[in-house]
Amino acid sequence: MTMTKKTFLSSENYYGNEANWQYMSVSQYKRFLECPALAIAELNGWESKADKTALYVGNYVHSFFESSEVHEKFKEDNKDIMFSSRKPFGLLKAYQVAEDMIQALNHQQAFKTLYKGEKEHIVQGELFGADWKGKIDCLNVKEGYFVDIKTHAGDFKKKVWNDRYGMRVSWIADYGYYLQMAVYRELLRMEFNKDFTPIIAAVSKQSPPAFKLYELREDMMAFELEELERSLPSILQMKYGQEEPKHCGSCEYCRETMQVTEFSDTEE
Ligand SMILES: [Zn+2]
């Protein structure tokens, strides 16, 4: 695909295919790290058949804090998947949990005080040789900070092994949220010519939900940006067809499409 004139991003075209080809995003980059063949297939229209409930639950919570109009529209557009088709036709359990998370966030004075500013602010800019796009949940330019809401299925304290870090890390680091917030901060710095403090407002799917406000460690954001700078050139080569995309061999796309041509080592 040839690069055409850069598209000015809006809420209408942000998630569109053209924007995804022209711009790198943190989620697209994470896809390339996971499996380049999968990332390319998605850019070409391949769709996962995996259950998307967690994604919808996250969007349900996010839309509530964006505005009541957006939330009502989200509910109307997705009522077929959110409500039971059997009597008593109530909200499915996953979305009742989403309601609990909304209540939990609303109950926290610190969150309500902090979550003021422009909602769904779109950032775009050049970083490490690629054009990037990002969407920030809540940006407070005057006070110099931004907040992202993260919903999490498990216990906040549980550490998990992460290959990139080579150690057990928090769910925040494991999901690439350090990377995301570091990239957003760089893009905001270019746009406003000042430094912003990233904040994560985390809410769990436990009953009742746990809530935490996280500040982010500078050393971990620096690590993510260094790694990004190192890995991005070969990812861009694969994206724009100068290099064959590698298959991870185990994701949904690879399982669906790959022919096995060699023996595997049991311990790898
Ligand atoms: Zn794969």
Side-chain angles (χ1 to χ4, degrees):
M1 183 141 192
T2 50
M3 292 281 279
T4 45
K5 197 169 165 288
K6 245 187 277 175
T7 309
F8 186 77
L9 295 168
S10 67
S11 57
E12 279 75 42
N13 65 14
Y14 183 88
Y15 292 109
N17 190 251
E18 194 183 348
N20 288 336
W21 272 110
Q22 285 188 21
Y23 292 88
M24 183 53 72
S25 65
V26 172
S27 56
Q28 187 182 126
Y29 171 75
K30 287 196 310 196
R31 273 298 204 228
F32 271 100
L33 289 185
E34 200 185 318
C35 177
L38 165 67
I40 298 283
E42 282 186 334
L43 282 164
N44 286 322
W46 180 85
E47 260 185 72
S48 162
K49 288 166 202 75
D51 182 48
K52 294 190 181 67
T53 303
L55 182 72
Y56 284 112
V57 166
N59 290 346
Y60 186 96
V61 174
H62 274 87
S63 67
F64 179 89
F65 291 101
E66 188 180 345
S67 73
S68 54
E69 296 80 53
V70 174
H71 190 55
E72 288 312 313
K73 185 171 186 314
F74 179 85
K75 285 202 286 192
E76 181 59 29
D77 291 349
N78 297 293
K79 61 183 179 203
D80 291 351
I81 57 159
M82 291 190 330
F83 287 90
S84 168
S85 54
R86 279 183 244 144
K87 275 187 177 170
F89 307 115
L91 254 188
L92 291 172
K93 181 84 176 81
Y95 301 96
Q96 290 173 22
V97 173
E99 279 293 337
D100 290 348
M101 289 193 280
I102 289 171
Q103 298 307 324
L105 286 165
N106 255 337
H107 177 69
Q108 295 289 333
Q109 285 309 321
F111 173 74
K112 289 175 78 170
T113 306
L114 275 171
Y115 208 71
K116 287 189 179 123
E118 189 195 341
K119 306 291 153 57
E120 303 291 318
H121 176 83
I122 292 174
V123 270
Q124 53 188 109
E126 204 209 309
L127 191 61
F128 306 135
D131 288 314
W132 286 78
K133 60 174 179 147
K135 230 183 200 186
I136 293 168
D137 288 350
C138 179
L139 172 67
N140 192 314
V141 178
K142 192 162 160 273
E143 305 290 332
Y145 68 84
F146 60 101
V147 186
D148 245 51
I149 298 174
K150 300 295 185 196
T151 58
H152 180 52
D155 179 349
F156 288 158
K157 288 221 160 120
K158 199 168 164 237
K159 293 268 176 39
V160 286
W161 176 264
N162 181 284
D163 281 337
R164 291 192 303 118
Y165 280 84
M167 60 187 216
R168 283 157 58 83
V169 296
S170 67
W171 63 281
I172 301 269
D174 188 52
Y175 280 106
Y177 295 152
Y178 265 99
L179 167 72
Q180 182 188 5
M181 300 301 260
V183 168
Y184 288 2
R185 186 167 67 169
E186 292 302 309
L187 297 176
L188 284 173
R189 185 183 287 143
M190 288 179 230
E191 185 179 344
F192 295 97
N193 207 15
K194 71 183 229 180
D195 260 322
F196 286 81
T197 304
I199 296 165
I200 287 180
V203 61
S204 79
K205 296 179 184 176
Q206 294 158 302
S207 179
F211 172 76
K212 287 239 187 266
L213 284 170
Y214 287 105
E215 53 184 358
L216 295 160
R217 296 190 185 185
E218 286 299 332
D219 58 339
M220 289 170 77
M221 283 194 284
F223 165 79
E224 292 286 4
L225 289 178
E226 277 165 31
E227 205 192 56
L228 175 61
E229 188 172 17
R230 205 169 41 243
S231 347
L232 197 57
S234 102
I235 284 176
L236 290 174
Q237 293 222 314
M238 289 189 275
K239 181 173 176 180
Y240 295 114
Q242 292 121 324
E243 213 177 280
E244 206 48 43
K246 294 185 191 76
H247 287 73
C248 75
S250 58
C251 74
E252 184 188 346
Y253 175 73
C254 287
R255 294 193 315 264
E256 194 179 283
T257 55
M258 266 179 78
Q259 291 289 321
V260 171
T261 55
E262 55 192 21
F263 290 99
S264 293
D265 184 316
T266 62
E267 308 307 310
E268 264 179 22

